[in-house]
């Protein structure tokens, strides 16, 4: 997309986030629900297909351009950011592995917002990635799926689960499969677990599958490529996007803190004239900018197909999350006791920020990914 057209799109997103988006944020916090009307509005505005290619009905944005828009969306309510983030990313995991028929049935409808697809990897009794134990047994042209998943975003209201499992008896990456499992299939049991500290209104689910029939035709890629779909196709760009989400939300916290510091007077002087407050906000500004530059470096590397994109995505995510923790804590501190009340916008921002600490993997997981890549490069005589 050209610079002038992109700037118009940025202005459109900014106007929506600061206008209707803020109104929606108030409604979500008041009711605890994200209504279907909000999904419909995001769809009508074209916000759910922004990152897709023009040939798929999208805007034809580069990945770095998309990150610039995610930065703006992330200043909004956590649930709005979550919808836009997931829908604009999940097609990217499916598309490289999809057949023409699967592209018509799943990828394009997901981009258009006609169907909702929930990324389904995490399990209650296991770690991440190759540790999954949810399994399938093949019966002709049908898989029988058995196992448990939890912390599944949009797991209640989705139409399909983009689910990672393994062929029964296999280990490691070998035998993993990626399946599109219908939400209403036989043997699917859904427990609504949506009562969270922040990101109010986003539905989450714990799932149990009891010999759930899934057509082999709903498998993306080959047996053994299940984690390639989940980890490379979704998690690497998604971690970069979460890193940018941290940057955008931190900018919102900083904006609220600056506004409050300018408006609040103590002992006849603006709070913004207190050196302790000035230092906190100056540190915030530097912290935000440093994290943003690392996120954008990771985004450019992913966009260019760089081999270290996975490592940089984890570096960016863990750095941005730590930054967001410090920035929102400082911003709340600037507000004093008033920031602790729900009548203050910083209170919601503070709660929403905490969710980033585990979205797409905790910092401990990111450090594991980074060290694994460091060790690989070292043993191969690399420079890292």
């Amino acid at each position: 997309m050209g610079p002038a057209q992109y700037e118009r799109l940025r202005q459109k997103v900014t106007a929506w986030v600061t206008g209707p988006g803020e109104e929606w944020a108030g409604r979500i916090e008041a009711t605890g629900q994200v209504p279907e009307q909000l999904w419909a509005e995001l769809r009508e505005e074209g916000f759910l297909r922004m990152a897709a290619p023009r040939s798929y009905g999208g805007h034809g944005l580069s990945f770095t351009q998309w990150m610039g828009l995610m930065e703006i969306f992330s200043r909004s309510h956590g649930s709005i950011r979550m919808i836009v983030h997931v829908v604009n990313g999940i097609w990217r995991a499916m598309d490289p592995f999809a057949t023409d028929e699967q592209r018509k049935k799943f990828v394009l409808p997901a981009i258009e917002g006609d169907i909702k697809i929930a990324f389904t990897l995490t399990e209650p009794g296991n770690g991440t990635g190759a540790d999954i134990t949810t399994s399938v047994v093949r019966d002709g042209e049908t898989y029988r799926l058995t196992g448990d998943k939890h912390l599944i975003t949009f797991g209640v209201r989705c139409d399909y689960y983009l689910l990672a499992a393994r062929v029964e008896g296999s280990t490691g990456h070998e035998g993993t499969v990626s399946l599109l499992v219908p939400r209403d299939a036989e043997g699917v049991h859904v427990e609504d677990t949506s009562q969270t500290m922040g990101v109010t209104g986003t539905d989450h689910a714990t799932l149990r599958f009891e010999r759930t029939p899934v057509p082999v035709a709903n498998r993306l890629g080959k047996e053994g490529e299940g984690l390639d779909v989940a980890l490379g196709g979704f998690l690497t760009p998604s971690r970069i996007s979460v890193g940018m989400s941290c940057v955008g939300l931190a900018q919102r916290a900083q904006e609220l803190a600056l506004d409050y510091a300018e408006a609040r007077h103590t002992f006849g002087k603006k709070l913004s004239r207190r050196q302790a407050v000035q230092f906190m906000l100056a540190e915030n500004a530097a912290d935000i900018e440093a994290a943003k530059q690392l996120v954008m470096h990771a985004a450019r590397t992913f966009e260019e197909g760089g081999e270290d994109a996975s490592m940089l995505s984890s570096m960016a995510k863990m750095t941005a999350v730590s930054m967001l923790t410090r920035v929102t804590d400082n911003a709340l501190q600037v507000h004093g006791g008033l920031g602790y009340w729900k009548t203050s916008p910083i209170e919601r921002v503070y709660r929403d920020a905490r969710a980033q600490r585990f979205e797409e993997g905790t910092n401990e997981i990111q450090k594991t990914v980074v060290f694994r890549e460091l060790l690989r490069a070292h043993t191969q005589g690399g420079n890292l």
Side-chain angles (χ1 to χ4, degrees):
M1 178 178 286
Q5 189 179 4
Y6 180 63
E7 182 56 33
R8 288 194 295 272
L9 193 54
R10 278 181 57 89
Q11 291 174 6
K12 176 183 177 179
V13 171
T14 301
W16 189 89
V17 166
T18 56
E22 280 299 295
E23 295 175 13
W24 277 114
R27 289 175 60 180
I28 293 168
E29 288 298 308
T31 63
Q33 301 292 325
V34 172
E36 282 299 312
Q37 297 97 298
L38 173 55
W39 284 79
E41 183 170 324
L42 291 170
R43 177 186 177 184
E44 290 164 8
E45 292 287 348
F47 294 159
L48 301 184
R49 52 184 174 85
M50 302 186 85
R54 289 188 185 278
S55 59
Y56 288 6
H59 288 68
L61 297 171
S62 68
F63 187 70
T64 47
Q65 285 178 326
W66 170 233
M67 287 301 94
L69 299 183
M70 271 306 305
E71 182 181 354
I72 301 170
F73 278 115
S74 301
R75 299 172 192 167
S76 187
H77 190 279
S79 282
I80 294 174
R81 193 279 308 178
M82 183 70 79
I83 294 169
V84 173
H85 160 70
V86 171
V87 177
N88 276 280
I90 204 157
W91 69 270
R92 202 184 300 273
M94 298 185 289
D95 191 52
F97 299 89
T99 64
D100 289 342
E101 184 61 30
Q102 289 172 333
R103 196 164 285 113
K104 293 175 185 176
K105 184 175 180 180
F106 301 114
V107 179
L108 297 179
I111 290 170
E112 286 297 326
D114 294 333
I115 61 173
K116 299 182 181 72
I117 299 178
F119 182 69
T120 309
L121 176 65
T122 309
E123 298 181 355
N126 303 305
T128 189
D131 195 31
I132 60 172
T133 56
T134 296
S135 64
V136 295
V137 176
R138 186 160 179 172
D139 178 14
E141 291 305 305
T142 301
Y143 285 117
R144 293 286 175 174
L145 171 67
T146 300
D148 299 278
K149 300 286 186 178
H150 76 160
L151 304 178
I152 306 305
T153 303
F154 308 136
V156 178
R157 72 171 77 208
C158 70
D159 299 294
Y160 290 93
Y161 301 107
L162 178 58
L163 181 142
R166 66 172 59 259
V167 176
E168 191 173 66
S170 67
T171 58
H173 281 66
E174 182 183 351
T176 59
V177 292
S178 180
L179 303 174
L180 283 151
V181 183
R183 163 73 170 80
D184 59 358
E186 177 187 350
V188 177
H189 304 276
V190 180
E191 178 188 357
D192 190 337
T193 55
S194 301
Q195 298 302 309
T196 52
M197 177 189 297
V199 196
T200 304
T202 293
D203 66 281
H204 301 277
T206 293
L207 311 173
R208 188 173 77 258
F209 303 94
E210 294 182 343
R211 289 188 55 78
T212 297
V214 184
V216 172
N218 283 22
R219 185 188 71 210
L220 288 167
K222 305 172 183 176
E223 290 187 359
E225 293 183 333
L227 289 180
D228 293 330
V229 176
L231 302 181
F234 186 77
L235 281 183
T236 295
S238 187
R239 283 170 174 164
I240 298 170
S241 183
V242 171
M244 187 55 82
S245 298
C246 293
V247 171
L249 192 57
Q251 289 170 338
R252 177 60 175 153
Q254 176 81 333
E255 178 184 42
L256 291 170
L258 282 164
D259 287 346
Y260 186 82
E262 277 287 279
R264 175 80 164 117
H265 288 73
T266 59
F267 299 98
K269 185 186 294 186
K270 284 184 179 181
L271 204 60
S272 60
R273 294 180 62 190
R274 305 290 179 186
Q275 191 175 65
V277 172
Q278 293 172 354
F279 282 5
M280 278 195 289
L281 296 179
E283 289 169 359
N284 277 1
D287 228 0
I288 293 168
E289 186 62 25
K292 180 177 179 178
Q293 293 307 317
L294 180 54
V295 170
M296 289 305 295
H297 176 50
R300 287 189 294 270
T301 302
F302 173 76
E303 188 173 82
E304 295 163 2
E307 290 184 3
D308 54 348
S310 175
M311 181 181 69
L312 285 170
S313 76
S314 287
M315 284 182 172
K317 201 262 177 176
M318 73 182 191
T319 299
V321 162
S322 297
M323 172 276 294
L324 180 60
T325 299
R326 294 188 295 269
V327 167
T328 52
D329 192 63
N330 280 342
L332 184 64
Q333 191 69 15
V334 168
H335 284 76
L338 290 176
Y340 197 67
W341 262 249
K342 287 185 179 293
T343 50
S344 177
I346 192 63
E347 186 271 344
R348 172 176 60 79
V349 170
Y350 189 82
R351 283 186 290 110
D352 283 352
R354 190 60 178 82
Q356 310 294 348
R357 294 277 289 274
F358 49 81
E359 186 179 350
E360 310 303 20
T362 63
N363 267 12
E364 290 70 30
I365 289 294
Q366 311 310 326
K367 292 171 186 177
T368 299
V369 172
V370 171
F371 180 76
R372 182 186 67 210
E373 294 302 308
L374 285 174
L375 188 61
R376 180 186 60 79
H378 178 72
T379 57
Q380 293 177 358
N383 297 320
L384 293 177

